Amino acid sequence: MMGIANASSPEVFVLLGFSARPSLEPILFIIALGFYVVSILDNGIIILVSCIDVHLHTPMYFFLANLSFLDISFTTSIVPQFLVNLWGPQKTISSVGCMVQFYISHWLGATECVLLAVMSYDRYVAICRPLHYTVIMHPQLCLSLAFASWLGGLTTSIVGSTLTMLLPLCGNNRIDHFFCEMPLIMQLACVDTSLNEVEMYVASFIFVVLPLGLILVSYGHIAWAVMKIRSAEGRRKAFNTCSSHVAVVILFYGSIIFMYLQPAKSNSHEQGKFIALFYTVVTPMLNPLIYTLRNKDVKKALRHIASENCCGFAGSLGHIRDVSNL
């Protein structure tokens, strides 16, 4: 089977992307580059602050740092190649590059679904069982949940992507998208893909539907607990604790649901490209902004680090002046 797949698979793939709208490509290049740079900086700052500030060494920020690292990895697996194809006349990607792209994007997409469910469980424990929070969410459990998220995503990616890679494509190499996505590779196959489709549906149920169900159950319990809080101040604090995570979940799952529930028409496929552009370029940039803008702890940590650096820089200048005066 491997020999058949290798013999009939093209050496390069053509990513059509937005080539049907050449006047739009320079605009998309500038937008995508800007969002990519901001995304790397924002998520990098979240990771740095979560590691440096001891006040942020909590389960919530541990999982947030994981999410930021995931966002950096996900957008980096897609955007640089997208920028290259937008900039030049060649819209190609090597077969190895395409394979790496859909392995990594599949892995990180599945991981994010599970990780968001884990983060919702963390918020459930924080609000519904606050007195037992430190006992339940101990470091070993947090590490185990994060490891399970990454390992689960990797496992489904290895299975699904390998089955896709083994499909003979009979020379078909034109992908009507701006990155290599597993369902689109399956459409190029010249054999029956029933097994691949079954695997994809099962994996989607396990890694998309079940985590979403767990998120809804967690927030159902949280909503019930918040309704029981008598003081308006208490309800406000509980809402602020969860609002950032809820916004991220809505962005992530909203894009997925809107994309995959569209009718199978050519114009809806074009809309799907823009939705995919949103969750590959815009969402990774928005996630850290959402957590930073609505989170006093992160703002305080950023100010603390900035003030320390400023004081250290001022002290260094003062020391240099003293030495020069001597």
Side-chain angles (χ1 to χ4, degrees):
M1 179 100 179
M2 179 69 81
I4 296 172
N6 289 340
S8 57
S9 296
E11 293 183 0
V12 296
F13 289 92
V14 178
L15 296 172
L16 299 178
F18 299 94
S19 57
R21 305 181 182 186
S23 61
L24 188 62
E25 289 187 326
I27 300 172
L28 288 177
F29 179 87
I30 295 171
I31 294 173
L33 178 61
F35 274 78
Y36 178 62
V37 171
V38 174
S39 175
I40 297 296
L41 292 175
D42 286 351
N43 283 292
I45 289 172
I46 290 290
I47 295 171
L48 185 65
V49 170
S50 299
C51 293
I52 292 178
D53 196 297
V54 293
H55 298 98
L56 301 184
H57 291 176
T58 63
M60 175 180 172
Y61 295 103
F62 170 72
F63 294 129
L64 179 57
N66 272 264
L67 181 63
S68 292
F69 179 74
L70 188 151
D71 282 337
I72 290 175
S73 303
F74 180 72
T75 192
T76 300
S77 71
I78 295 172
V79 174
Q81 181 65 50
F82 177 51
L83 292 173
V84 169
N85 290 350
L86 284 174
W87 183 257
Q90 297 293 329
K91 311 296 182 185
T92 59
I93 182 173
S94 67
S95 58
V96 174
C98 186
M99 180 182 69
V100 170
Q101 199 173 70
F102 71 70
Y103 263 99
I104 293 178
S105 61
H106 189 187
W107 172 23
L108 299 178
T111 300
E112 183 160 0
C113 291
V114 181
L115 189 60
L116 289 175
V118 169
M119 294 173 76
S120 70
Y121 174 71
D122 172 66
R123 294 300 82 205
Y124 158 76
V125 177
I127 292 177
C128 298
R129 304 188 66 183
L131 298 180
H132 302 90
Y133 180 73
T134 55
V135 176
I136 296 174
M137 300 302 295
H138 53 83
Q140 290 80 6
L141 178 62
C142 294
L143 285 171
S144 299
L145 290 173
F147 179 76
S149 301
W150 288 94
L151 181 61
L154 179 61
T155 302
T156 188
S157 176
I158 290 175
V159 174
S161 299
T162 301
L163 287 174
T164 303
M165 187 183 67
L166 293 174
L167 290 172
L169 305 182
C170 301
N172 298 324
N173 72 335
R174 296 172 68 84
I175 301 174
D176 192 11
H177 214 320
F178 63 87
F179 71 99
C180 293
E181 197 174 28
M182 197 170 71
L184 298 174
I185 302 293
M186 287 168 55
Q187 291 176 11
L188 299 179
C190 51
V191 295
D192 181 49
T193 59
S194 299
L195 176 62
N196 300 73
E197 291 172 8
V198 169
E199 186 280 332
M200 187 173 66
Y201 290 135
V202 171
S204 297
F205 178 78
I206 295 173
F207 288 94
V208 178
V209 178
L210 283 184
L212 179 59
L214 292 173
I215 291 170
L216 293 175
V217 169
S218 296
Y219 277 103
H221 285 286
I222 290 171
W224 183 253
V226 170
M227 289 173 62
K228 292 182 178 179
I229 299 176
R230 295 182 178 180
S231 67
E233 180 66 17
R235 286 194 295 270
R236 187 186 63 81
K237 287 183 179 179
F239 174 77
N240 288 337
T241 301
C242 300
S243 58
S244 298
H245 182 254
V246 170
V248 170
V249 168
I250 291 173
L251 274 176
F252 181 75
Y253 276 101
S255 300
I256 293 176
I257 292 170
F258 190 79
M259 182 172 180
Y260 288 101
L261 290 184
Q262 292 184 100
K265 297 178 182 178
S266 58
N267 61 336
S268 64
H269 181 69
E270 287 297 313
Q271 292 173 8
K273 291 181 186 179
F274 285 99
I275 298 168
L277 188 63
F278 181 81
Y279 72 73
T280 56
V281 177
V282 180
T283 300
M285 187 273 296
L286 289 178
N287 286 349
L289 289 180
I290 290 171
Y291 276 100
T292 303
L293 292 175
R294 295 194 58 84
N295 196 300
K296 293 180 180 179
D297 294 333
V298 175
K299 290 179 182 178
K300 184 178 179 181
L302 285 171
R303 285 195 295 266
H304 179 67
I305 293 172
S307 64
E308 278 191 344
N309 290 335
C310 290
C311 291
F313 181 69
S316 298
L317 290 178
H319 180 69
I320 291 172
R321 283 197 298 268
D322 292 340
V323 171
S324 63
N325 291 333
L326 294 175

